[in-house]
């Protein structure tokens, strides 16, 4: 090793998205022969920090240095040329192409006449699969493989590229225990061989097991850097959570009728049958980490995703995979991605407001009932205090918080009996969040059953009566919000023991 | 495996249509008809390969017919009216076609315009220019360039067989098909082309210069279209700018889709395109030959067959996907 200085450094890098500061003046040094873990709650800025370090994003402030030199990278190809490999959470493989073609994509060996040397390809591909102890045929398309195997192929790809720094974003999130231990062994072996490895993970047991250095992020800020014996599970949980949140004081007991009943629900994201009921006036939170199957559960309930099992609304069975029927039976889903799933951004507030019930507003020969539409939109704007209070404004001109009010409001116009919300206040400023919370509480007092998922503990604790914790598609615990703690939820969400 | 099944399926349809046609019209299997069918199939196979290269990237080229018109009309016009020597005309026009294809690629990659729009404009522009240059007059070779014309309408006698000869374009197609197959399946460029169609982000993350590969695909499509345009006019002997090459882009796209190309990109095989091109020509031929089918419904028949093929493909895909998820 020529120098003992850091291989790659972030020097007080800052990145904002819109008004939100995702990463705020974070400095981090990564050395060869070390495994650095970056941990933090959902939305703490881990992935953004990594994307800054490997050229996917550019820092608004601060700089990234490699071997002490400031560098400006334009995309992953530049980073790759500098020996930095990034394996994102969403794997980037060509599904229809074979294992060996994927492994060698971009670095195919050339033989005679400028043609690809197929024999050499197979040899190299076999070699790199051996490195990750994966024994599969080389000619099957990668779409036929399981997620764990695909993950290992992506890692094998990175290992082949002679990367000096390897960033792994949640590499074990979808792996089986056996695959996980193979992967961790590989990572340790690479470290011993002198590579620098950065691990972003929610699985604190793995961090304890392999990390030499841990950086804890919270809300985009660095809160601590741990080394050696300081790397200890309960300490990490404490640092990640950081605050002592009180569960909501409001303790009305919920003895209403069961409005939403889930019996033996399974889907591609939920291997074990799920049982759950939500009563009139009750607010139930779904907590869990990325990939725990929260959004998928809401989608399955609403009929956007196939499922088995029984779902009943007010005692009437809801057919699976039929969102139109679900709406008729009084279900509504406020989706996670406001821009892509919740709104037609170029259309006006009014046009968005009437979209879910458009066929009810305009019954005469399919003509739109413009007056009824205006009525619905006006009521939405008034009841949720959308600002500016104009119904003919394109939704894209509203702030995030007001857009979210439109998404929620368009469903309220149909008076749903069961309201499903996926991250009800993501990307919403504090003031609007408070307003939305008040509105949701009012709704449940009026007898609506609310089931929502949230990655923010604060919201889970402030808004729910009960918390259902999911881990890898399975319910790991159901907690009463008034008697639980953030630590307890986190422990269940990471698949550990709640003590 | 799925690809092979797809090929077998479309080959089966081809054989079935040919057999039915032969049953209803004995002249289908006459040496004269077979020879003509092969000639047409070869010509459309060449432009089908061009279209498929673009389709594999997830793009589309709608300008093929108009580019054929441009090249096809300018070839006799430059030779007979302007008086340029044929051996200069053909290479110059092929270079022109390649550059036009390349310009489509540049607009798609640099300005991020949609391939549909770029080539739709090409469709209008090239035909308009051609009609302008020729003032809508038909041009022919007359007595000129007869040596050159052998490339299009030439017949290569096979020893010991009377009445049937190999059409020259078939030989050209075979050469082009072999080269394209090697390019697509055995070169780095071809591998990258498929990868881009499969997952452009992944390709970028592998350090592939996506833009260069894409521009190459459009340029090659231009070149193959140019070759097709020259051969078409050498075969027919004359061209009318207002209708020469009309709808040929659709025949080319149909050949590519029938041959297993997905318009989403990433999938496609040269052999499939050849079978697809042949199937389209056999269908056209069958409509002409079989009594009782009015020639005027040609488009409806072709459209119907493509629709059935696409539905069958989708049904098989869902069936296998459902089977897999049950396991």
């Amino acid at each position: 090793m020529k120098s003992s200085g850091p291989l790659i450094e972030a020097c007080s890098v800052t990145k904002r998205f819109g008004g939100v500061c995702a990463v705020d003046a974070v400095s981090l040094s990564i050395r060869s022969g070390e495994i650095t873990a970056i941990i933090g709650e959902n939305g703490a800025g881990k992935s953004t920090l990594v994307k800054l370090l490997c050229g996917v994003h550019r820092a608004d402030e601060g700089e990234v240095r490699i071997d002490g030199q400031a560098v400006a990278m334009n995309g992953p190809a530049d980073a790759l040329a500098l020996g930095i490999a990034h394996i994102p959470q969403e794997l980037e493989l060509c599904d229809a192409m074979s294992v060996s073609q994927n492994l060698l994509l971009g670095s195919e060996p050339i033989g005679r006449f400028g043609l690809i040397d197929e024999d050499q390809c197979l040899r190299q591909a076999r070699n790199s699969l051996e490195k990750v102890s994966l024994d599969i045929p080389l000619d099957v398309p990668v779409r036929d493989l399981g997620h764990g195997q695909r993950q290992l192929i992506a890692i094998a790809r990175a290992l082949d590229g002679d990367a000096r720094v390897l960033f792994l974003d949640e590499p074990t999130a979808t792996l089986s225990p056996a695959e996980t231990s193979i992967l961790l062994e590989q990572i340790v072996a690479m470290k011993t061989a002198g590579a620098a490895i950065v691990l972003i993970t929610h699985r604190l047991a793995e961090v304890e097991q392999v990390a030499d250095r841990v950086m804890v992020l919270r809300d985009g800020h660095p809160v601590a850097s741990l080394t050696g014996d300081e790397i200890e599970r309960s300490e990490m949980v404490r640092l990640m959570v950081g605050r002592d949140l009180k569960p909501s004081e409001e303790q009305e007991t919920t003895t209403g009728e069961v409005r939403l009943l889930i019996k033996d629900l399974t889907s591609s994201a939920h291997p074990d049958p799920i049982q759950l009921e939500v009563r009139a006036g009750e607010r139930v939170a779904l907590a869990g980490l990325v990939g725990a199957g929260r959004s998928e559960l809401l989608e399955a309930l609403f009929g956007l995703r196939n499922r088995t099992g029984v779902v009943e609304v007010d005692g009437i069975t809801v057919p699976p995979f039929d969102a139109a029927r679900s709406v008729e039976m009084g279900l509504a889903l406020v989706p996670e991605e406001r821009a892509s799933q919740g709104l037609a951004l170029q259309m006006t507030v009014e046009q968005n407001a009437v979209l879910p019930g458009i066929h009810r507003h305009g019954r005469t020969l399919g003509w739109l009932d413009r007056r009824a539409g205006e009525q619905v939109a006006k009521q939405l704007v008034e009841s949720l205090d959308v600002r500016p209070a104009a119904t003919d404004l394109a939704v894209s001109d509203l702030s995030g918080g007001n857009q979210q009010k439109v998404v929620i409001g368009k469903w309220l116009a149909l008076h749903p009996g069961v309201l499903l919300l996926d991250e009800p206040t993501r990307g919403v400023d504090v003031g609007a969040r408070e307003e939305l919370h008040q509105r949701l509480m009012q709704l449940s007092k009026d007898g609506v059953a609310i089931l929502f998922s949230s990655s923010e503990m604060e919201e889970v604790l402030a808004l729910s009566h009960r918390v259902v914790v999911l881990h890898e598609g399975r319910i790991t615990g159901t907690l009463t919000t008034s008697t639980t703690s953030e630590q307890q939820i986190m422990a269940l969400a990471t698949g550990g023991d709640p003590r | 495996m799925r690809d092979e099944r797809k090929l077998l399926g479309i080959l089966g349809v081809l054989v079935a249509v040919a057999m039915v046609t032969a049953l209803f019209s004995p002249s289908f299997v006459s040496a004269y008809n077979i020879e003509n069918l092969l000639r047409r199939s070869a010509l459309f196979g060449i432009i089908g390969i061009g279209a498929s290269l673009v389709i594999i990237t997830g793009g589309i080229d709608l300008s093929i017919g108009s580019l054929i018109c441009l090249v096809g009309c300018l070839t006799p016009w430059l030779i007979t009216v302007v008086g340029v020597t044929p051996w200069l005309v053909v290479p110059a026009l092929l270079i022109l076609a390649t550059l036009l294809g390349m310009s489509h690629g540049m607009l798609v990659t640099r300005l991020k315009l949609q391939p549909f729009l770029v080539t739709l404009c090409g469709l209008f522009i090239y035909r308009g220019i051609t009609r302008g240059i020729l003032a809508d007059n038909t041009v022919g070779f007359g007595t000129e360039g007869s040596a050159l014309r052998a490339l299009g309408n030439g017949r290569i006698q096979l020893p010991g067989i009377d009445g049937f000869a190999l059409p020259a374009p078939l030989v050209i197609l075979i050469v082009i098909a072999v080269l394209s197959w090697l390019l697509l399946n055995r070169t780095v460029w071809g591998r990258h082309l498929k990868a881009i169609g499969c997952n452009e982000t992944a390709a970028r993350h592998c350090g592939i210069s996506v833009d260069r590969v894409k521009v190459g695909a459009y340029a090659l499509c231009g070149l193959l279209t140019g070759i097709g345009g020259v051969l078409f006019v050498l075969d027919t002997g004359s061209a009318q700018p207002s209708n020469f090459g009309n709808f040929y882009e659709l025949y080319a796209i149909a050949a590519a889709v029938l041959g297993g190309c997905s318009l989403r990109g990433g999938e496609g095989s040269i052999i499939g395109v050849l079978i697809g091109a042949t199937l389209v020509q056999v269908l056209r031929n069958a409509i002409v030959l079989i009594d009782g089918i009015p020639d005027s419904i040609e488009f409806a028949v072709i459209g119907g067959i493509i629709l059935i093929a696409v539905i069958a493909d989708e049904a098989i895909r869902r069936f296998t996907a459902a089977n897999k998820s049950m396991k």
Side-chain angles (χ1 to χ4, degrees):
Chain A
M1 225 156 294
K2 55 185 192 312
S3 73
S4 57
L7 202 52
I8 175 166
E9 292 171 273
C11 300
S12 71
V13 289
T14 297
K15 179 77 191 170
R16 292 183 201 89
F17 294 107
V20 184
C21 204
V23 168
D24 192 5
V26 176
S27 295
L28 173 66
S29 300
I30 292 155
R31 289 158 212 282
S32 41
E34 273 190 2
I35 296 177
T36 309
I38 303 178
I39 61 172
E41 285 186 281
N42 293 332
K46 303 173 303 251
S47 291
T48 309
L49 176 61
V50 168
K51 284 177 179 166
L52 288 170
L53 283 167
C54 41
V56 178
H57 291 326
R58 263 215 158 128
D60 296 327
E61 284 159 38
E63 58 186 22
V64 174
R65 292 190 195 146
I66 293 174
D67 296 326
Q69 299 277 314
V71 290
M73 288 177 282
N74 258 326
D78 282 1
L80 218 51
L82 289 164
I84 301 167
H86 175 217
I87 299 173
Q89 241 169 308
E90 298 293 327
L91 292 179
E92 268 144 8
L93 297 171
C94 292
D95 283 352
M97 292 171 67
S98 73
V99 171
S100 63
Q101 289 175 346
N102 267 288
L103 282 168
L104 292 161
L105 196 57
S107 54
E108 292 86 353
I110 298 170
R112 274 185 305 169
F113 314 118
L115 304 183
I116 295 175
D117 186 340
E118 295 291 345
D119 293 340
Q120 183 66 21
C121 269
L122 293 181
R123 258 198 306 278
Q124 288 189 13
R126 203 164 291 128
N127 247 332
S128 50
L129 284 189
E130 266 170 30
K131 283 193 219 160
V132 291
S133 313
L134 192 58
D135 186 21
I136 47 172
L138 292 167
D139 55 351
V140 296
V142 294
R143 65 169 163 236
D144 293 348
L145 302 177
H147 193 92
Q149 292 177 326
R150 292 159 49 92
Q151 179 85 50
L152 287 170
I153 286 173
I155 289 168
R157 260 196 62 89
L159 298 185
D160 282 345
D162 298 320
R164 295 190 299 160
V165 190
L166 184 59
F167 286 92
L168 297 157
D169 199 345
E170 296 285 354
T172 57
T174 49
L175 297 194
S176 68
E179 289 169 330
T180 302
S181 67
I182 291 172
L183 180 63
L184 293 180
E185 265 170 42
Q186 287 308 319
I187 290 174
V188 172
M190 286 164 63
K191 169 190 107 164
T192 318
I197 292 168
V198 183
L199 199 60
I200 297 111
T201 183
H202 279 300
R203 294 190 173 175
L204 299 181
E206 290 168 13
V207 174
E208 263 181 341
Q209 194 183 332
V210 300
D212 300 302
R213 188 183 289 272
V214 175
M215 156 159 266
V216 187
L217 287 179
R218 196 195 308 148
D219 300 329
H221 300 283
V223 274
S225 180
L226 310 175
T227 51
D229 290 343
E230 296 165 357
I231 303 175
E232 192 266 323
R233 192 180 164 124
S234 61
E235 174 68 0
M236 287 190 282
V237 169
R238 196 186 63 76
L239 286 167
M240 279 162 68
V241 172
R243 46 199 134 77
D244 234 0
L245 289 169
K246 288 188 297 294
S248 65
E249 315 93 59
E250 178 198 25
Q251 288 309 327
E252 74 255 72
T253 43
T254 46
T255 50
E257 297 280 300
V258 174
R259 297 208 79 167
L260 175 68
L261 176 73
I262 304 166
K263 237 186 318 192
D264 299 330
L265 181 145
T266 63
S267 81
S268 55
H270 307 97
D272 291 348
I274 284 179
Q275 330 287 345
L276 181 64
E277 45 180 64
V278 185
R279 292 169 182 276
E282 197 181 21
R283 298 184 299 273
V284 176
L286 295 172
L289 305 169
V290 171
R294 292 168 299 159
S295 302
E296 290 81 358
L297 178 58
L298 294 174
E299 284 172 7
L301 289 174
F302 189 61
L304 291 174
R305 168 183 282 276
N306 213 348
R307 60 161 170 87
T308 63
V310 177
V311 174
E312 286 177 9
V313 171
D314 295 330
I316 303 168
T317 307
V318 183
F321 216 0
D322 187 350
R325 280 289 290 146
S326 300
V327 173
E328 280 171 34
M329 301 184 67
L331 274 164
L333 171 65
V334 174
E336 180 177 13
E337 300 285 339
R338 177 162 61 234
S340 61
Q341 303 169 328
L343 293 167
L345 282 175
Q346 290 89 345
M347 286 165 69
T348 65
V349 173
E350 181 187 326
Q351 287 166 335
N352 273 284
V354 298
L355 219 43
I358 200 160
H359 49 288
R360 298 186 197 178
H361 300 311
R363 279 270 91 154
T364 1
L365 295 174
W367 289 99
L368 280 174
D369 185 344
R370 300 247 301 274
R371 196 158 307 153
E374 265 169 44
Q375 203 59 46
V376 166
K378 203 171 272 170
Q379 206 185 337
L380 183 161
V381 166
E382 276 165 18
S383 68
L384 288 170
D385 192 21
V386 176
R387 273 176 245 175
T391 56
D392 57 352
L393 212 61
V395 171
S396 55
D397 292 338
L398 299 178
S399 73
N402 284 299
Q403 289 184 356
Q404 187 68 8
K405 288 180 187 173
V406 176
V407 183
I408 295 178
K410 71 172 187 183
W411 286 113
L412 297 187
L414 297 183
H415 305 294
V418 177
L419 183 58
L420 311 170
L421 301 107
D422 200 355
E423 304 286 350
T425 61
R426 167 171 293 180
V428 168
D429 62 89
V430 184
R433 168 175 309 180
E434 192 52 39
E435 285 175 53
L436 286 170
H437 282 181
Q438 292 300 334
R439 188 82 181 92
L440 293 175
M441 288 181 186
Q442 185 57 47
L443 277 171
S444 65
K445 280 200 188 101
D446 295 344
V448 177
I450 294 179
L451 179 63
F452 70 98
S453 89
S454 179
S455 301
E456 293 179 44
M457 280 306 165
E458 211 169 328
E459 184 165 73
V460 167
L461 293 176
L463 201 56
S464 68
H465 298 111
R466 280 192 295 143
V467 185
V468 174
V469 188
L470 289 168
H471 175 71
E472 295 177 0
R474 295 174 176 88
I475 293 183
T476 49
T478 302
L479 306 163
T480 306
T481 309
S482 54
T483 58
T484 190
S485 68
E486 190 161 358
Q487 277 80 357
Q488 210 175 0
I489 298 173
M490 267 315 246
L492 284 170
T494 48
D497 205 300
R499 266 164 293 162
Chain B
M1 202 178 77
R2 186 178 143 220
D3 296 342
E4 275 110 58
R5 224 175 7 215
K6 228 174 184 176
L7 278 188
L8 277 180
I10 193 70
L11 191 61
V13 176
L14 174 62
V15 171
V17 173
M19 275 168 44
V20 169
T21 314
L23 210 63
F24 281 96
S25 165
S27 59
F28 177 75
V29 287
S30 71
Y32 172 79
N33 191 56
I34 295 281
E35 192 184 315
N36 256 325
L37 198 54
L38 284 177
R39 185 188 307 278
R40 305 295 288 175
S41 302
L43 291 170
F44 281 98
I46 292 169
I47 61 174
I49 291 172
S52 68
L53 293 177
V54 169
I55 289 173
I56 287 172
T57 70
I60 193 85
D61 192 342
L62 298 178
S63 70
I64 290 172
S66 295
L67 191 53
I68 284 173
C69 172
L70 180 74
V71 172
C73 291
L74 287 188
T75 305
W77 183 74
L78 285 172
I79 293 172
T80 58
V81 181
V82 183
V84 186
T85 163
W87 305 112
L88 201 61
V89 167
V90 173
L93 285 175
L94 292 187
I95 290 170
L96 173 72
T98 311
L99 290 177
L100 288 175
M102 199 185 265
S103 73
H104 298 161
M106 302 289 262
L107 289 168
V108 168
T109 55
R110 295 288 144 81
L111 293 187
K112 313 268 177 244
L113 299 181
Q114 287 164 349
F116 190 99
L117 289 180
V118 169
T119 56
L120 180 69
C121 296
L123 179 152
F124 287 119
I125 293 170
Y126 307 142
R127 187 165 298 275
I129 288 177
T130 315
R131 291 177 62 174
I133 292 175
L134 298 179
D136 268 350
N137 290 317
T138 303
V139 279
F141 288 101
T143 54
E144 311 248 0
S146 56
L148 192 63
R149 285 200 59 193
L151 285 174
N153 62 9
R155 308 172 69 227
I156 299 159
Q157 289 294 343
L158 298 176
I161 304 176
D162 287 335
F164 176 81
L166 273 186
L170 184 62
V171 179
I172 297 173
L173 170 76
I174 290 170
V175 173
I176 289 175
V178 169
L179 290 178
S180 321
W181 187 87
L182 285 173
L183 187 68
L184 194 59
N185 297 295
R186 288 286 179 268
T187 69
V188 172
W189 185 86
R191 183 66 53 80
H192 290 182
L193 188 78
K194 279 191 177 173
I196 289 169
C198 265
N199 185 340
E200 197 171 320
T201 323
R204 248 178 243 283
H205 276 242
C206 292
I208 294 172
S209 45
V210 170
D211 290 1
R212 249 202 338 248
V213 176
K214 271 192 177 176
V215 171
Y218 282 91
L220 270 179
C221 179
L223 172 64
L224 289 172
T225 306
I227 293 174
V230 168
L231 293 178
F232 273 115
V233 79
L234 291 177
D235 177 32
T236 56
S238 67
Q240 161 53 245
S242 63
N243 68 10
F244 193 70
N246 255 351
F247 294 118
Y248 281 17
E249 64 279 345
L250 301 185
Y251 290 124
I253 294 168
V257 171
L258 283 173
C261 288
S262 160
L263 290 182
R264 279 182 221 102
E267 286 173 56
S269 74
I270 299 296
I271 298 157
V273 174
L274 298 187
I275 298 172
T278 312
L279 176 58
V280 173
Q281 294 314 311
V282 170
L283 280 171
R284 294 177 77 186
N285 191 222
I287 294 162
V288 173
L289 289 182
I290 298 178
D291 298 330
I293 304 180
D295 295 0
S296 46
I297 66 162
E298 179 196 320
F299 280 5
V301 172
I302 292 174
I305 294 282
I306 295 172
L307 190 59
I308 291 169
V310 174
I311 291 172
D313 182 47
E314 184 65 22
I316 291 169
R317 199 183 61 80
R318 287 194 189 184
F319 181 73
T320 46
N323 260 2
K324 211 163 68 185
S325 70
M326 292 308 266
K327 267 187 251 163

